[in-house]
Amino acid sequence: MKTGAQLYTVRLFTQTVPDFRETMRRVAEIGYETVQMSATGSEITPQIAREIADEMGLKIVLTHSDINRIRKDTEQLIRDHEVMGCKYIGIGSMPEKYRNPDWIRRFAVDFKEPARMIKEAGMRLMYHNHAFEFEKTGGTYLMDYLLDAFAPDELGITLDTYWVQTAGGDVCQWIERLADRIPCVHLKDRGIVNGQEVMAPVMEGNMNFPAILEALKKTDCEYALVEQDTCLENPFVCLEKSWRNWDTGRRRRGS
């Protein structure tokens, strides 16, 4: 399991080629081995991203890709990921129209064919959760509809551990349930500051990351990607704290 940085954390610093290069240099200097491409500027083409990643000794392992490109420009999107050397093509969030039991089945209708094409290319379509997928209707989660509609090799889950806990779910229980679907996971912590919920660097909030780490060892997880949507301090400082804490925890547990 390699540790990576979700570049959404530092999205303000990835909009131009010079800024992207400097950001990737800093990410590598912290110690990260991999990155997820998300919310980067239009100047950052697949070729430029690959060249800079190679220059910095980083591997691009996952994206959050435009939902319309996934549906309507699948072949070119696959080629772009081949250029980047990236086999996981990610959906960042479910479009709002699907987020109810009446329409959720349309998600499978719309994305089955792209999922098939991506699978045949030796890649995997990935779905990133928030909290709403764990809303129950008649005893069934929206997440259940996704799991029932797609085989594990058609749709993986980029399990965002923070959002599972925010939804009131048992993170380790969901890790166990999705053991063959989570080659990539997102890590950020959930803390309280002045009585308000905040996103925090890994192991600086209240989530049980030692237990999460142990649970992930029993899954197909390849990449643990640090993401912090909002930071109370410099996002590079947050990335460094998360790296240090997670890496120390891994070493203590021999993983």
Side-chain angles (χ1 to χ4, degrees):
M1 184 165 37
K2 297 184 183 299
T3 308
Q6 215 294 42
L7 294 181
Y8 187 77
T9 307
V10 287
R11 58 196 176 277
L12 296 179
F13 311 98
T14 61
Q15 301 307 302
T16 68
V17 173
D19 283 359
F20 182 79
R21 175 175 280 107
E22 175 63 12
T23 292
M24 294 285 271
R25 184 193 69 77
R26 291 190 182 197
V27 166
E29 186 175 65
I30 289 169
Y32 288 101
E33 303 166 272
T34 68
V35 295
Q36 175 181 346
M37 294 286 290
S38 179
T40 55
S42 59
E43 293 182 18
I44 318 304
T45 65
Q47 186 63 45
I48 289 173
R50 176 65 181 272
E51 289 173 0
I52 293 176
D54 287 350
E55 178 186 339
M56 302 303 168
L58 294 166
K59 180 175 175 56
I60 300 167
V61 298
L62 174 65
T63 63
H64 276 171
S65 296
D66 180 82
I67 200 82
N68 291 314
R69 287 202 68 200
I70 293 172
R71 282 192 61 200
K72 301 176 181 179
D73 193 23
T74 316
E75 290 185 359
Q76 183 59 51
L77 189 63
I78 289 169
R79 288 193 288 271
D80 289 347
H81 281 70
E82 289 173 342
V83 169
M84 291 187 288
C86 175
K87 68 178 181 178
Y88 294 117
I89 300 177
I91 296 172
S93 184
M94 182 183 291
E96 189 171 354
K97 71 177 183 180
Y98 299 108
R99 300 179 191 182
N100 63 80
D102 179 56
W103 207 255
I104 185 67
R105 291 174 179 81
R106 294 295 307 176
F107 185 89
V109 172
D110 290 343
F111 287 92
K112 266 286 189 178
E113 180 61 14
R116 181 195 64 79
M117 294 171 65
I118 291 167
K119 174 185 172 182
E120 289 184 355
M123 300 177 180
R124 197 175 188 183
L125 183 62
M126 299 290 296
Y127 178 85
H128 170 258
N129 68 276
H130 291 82
F132 65 82
E133 294 88 353
F134 301 95
E135 182 175 342
K136 277 185 178 180
T137 302
T140 301
Y141 296 109
L142 287 181
M143 178 66 80
D144 289 329
Y145 289 103
L146 291 179
L147 302 181
D148 291 342
F150 295 89
D153 60 355
E154 291 178 317
L155 185 71
I157 305 296
T158 304
L159 189 69
D160 192 305
T161 53
Y162 171 94
W163 288 116
V164 175
Q165 181 142 329
T166 295
D170 184 316
V171 178
C172 292
Q173 186 178 59
W174 276 99
I175 288 173
E176 181 179 357
R177 182 175 176 190
L178 300 172
D180 60 348
R181 285 194 191 252
I182 50 173
C184 306
V185 298
H186 279 178
L187 307 177
K188 57 177 168 279
D189 215 335
R190 190 168 187 261
I192 298 293
V193 175
N194 296 323
Q196 300 296 314
E197 175 195 334
V198 297
M199 295 179 178
V202 173
M203 297 186 182
E204 299 206 355
N206 297 312
M207 293 176 65
N208 188 354
F209 276 104
I212 289 170
L213 175 56
E214 290 303 314
L216 287 174
K217 290 180 183 180
K218 302 170 186 175
T219 73
D220 66 350
C221 184
E222 299 175 63
Y223 305 110
L225 299 158
V226 170
E227 177 187 47
Q228 196 170 331
D229 311 38
T230 58
C231 299
L232 298 181
E233 54 190 329
N234 186 301
F236 292 100
V237 171
C238 292
L239 282 179
E240 185 168 6
K241 286 181 177 181
S242 287
W243 162 262
R244 182 178 64 244
N245 295 344
W246 181 253
D247 190 57
T248 299
R250 285 197 312 166
R251 291 177 187 277
R252 285 176 179 169
R253 290 164 180 82
S255 60

